[in-house]
């Protein structure tokens, strides 16, 4: 595992490599909360930590590889992008589970909270990302 680092070029951001285990969701929540406080975007804290949790949980459950890369970026003054990269090229699927199902709502939550989300495929792996916007600041 590497220490969190600020990006040096492009959009301001933080990135960290985590082991692909369920406990990494808590580490991702801590990292995104720190970034939001530094950027003074605490209004996004609840939504961003939930989105981070769901994206990491999906990468752990459905991704491949021993590690995942989590990042929080600020592409504009009031927009935050949360990204999780793993080594699987299988795209996540937005499902609408029925009431009896106990799983399958992660991307539904992400879709409801984010202004946009998607998947970028790479030669090895994929990145799933979600954008959140502080509507009060725009």
């Amino acid at each position: 595992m590497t220490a969190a680092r600020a990006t040096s070029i492009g959009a301001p951001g933080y990135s960290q490599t985590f082991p692909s285990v369920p406990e990494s969701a808590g580490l991702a929540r801590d990292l995104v909360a720190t970034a939001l406080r530094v950027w003074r975007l605490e209004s996004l804290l609840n939504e961003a930590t939930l989105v981070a949790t769901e994206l990491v949980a999906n990468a752990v459950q459905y991704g491949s590889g021993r590690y995942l890369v989590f990042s929080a970026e600020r592409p504009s003054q009031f927009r935050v992008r949360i990204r999780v990269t793993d080594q699987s090229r299988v795209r996540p699927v937005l499902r609408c589970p029925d009431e009896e199902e106990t799983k399958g709502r992660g991307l539904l939550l992400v879709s409801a909270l984010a202004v946009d989300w998607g998947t970028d495929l790479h030669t090895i792996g994929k990145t799933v990302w979600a954008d959140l916007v502080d509507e009060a600041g725009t």
Side-chain angles (χ1 to χ4, degrees):
M1 183 172 6
T2 62
R5 60 181 170 77
T7 57
S8 59
I9 58 173
Y14 296 86
S15 177
Q16 188 162 357
T17 301
F18 297 126
S20 187
V21 296
E23 295 79 14
S24 291
L27 300 172
R29 283 192 301 272
D30 291 345
L31 182 59
V32 78
T34 298
L36 291 173
R37 287 184 185 105
V38 168
W39 297 330
R40 296 191 173 150
L41 290 172
E42 291 92 343
S43 61
L44 295 176
L45 192 60
N46 290 336
E47 292 88 350
T49 54
L50 183 53
V51 166
T53 299
E54 294 302 333
L55 293 183
V56 169
N58 279 353
V60 168
Q61 184 171 2
Y62 301 109
S64 63
R66 293 181 19 204
Y67 298 96
L68 57 90
V69 177
F70 177 84
S71 66
E73 300 169 344
R74 187 178 178 193
S76 66
Q77 185 176 3
F78 300 109
R79 182 179 289 255
V80 172
R81 176 167 283 186
I82 298 169
R83 301 184 323 157
V84 177
T85 302
D86 65 51
Q87 294 178 356
S88 170
R89 288 184 44 86
V90 177
R91 289 181 183 268
V93 176
L94 180 63
R95 299 181 49 220
C96 294
D98 60 39
E99 293 179 15
E100 291 80 38
E101 291 183 76
T102 59
K103 294 183 178 184
R105 291 176 178 77
L107 285 178
L108 197 57
L109 285 170
V110 170
S111 178
L113 295 171
V115 295
D116 197 13
W117 74 276
T119 305
D120 299 326
L121 292 180
H122 310 293
T123 304
I124 299 176
K126 70 177 172 307
T127 299
V128 181
W129 54 268
D131 286 353
L132 303 169
V133 174
D134 177 4
E135 297 295 338
T138 58

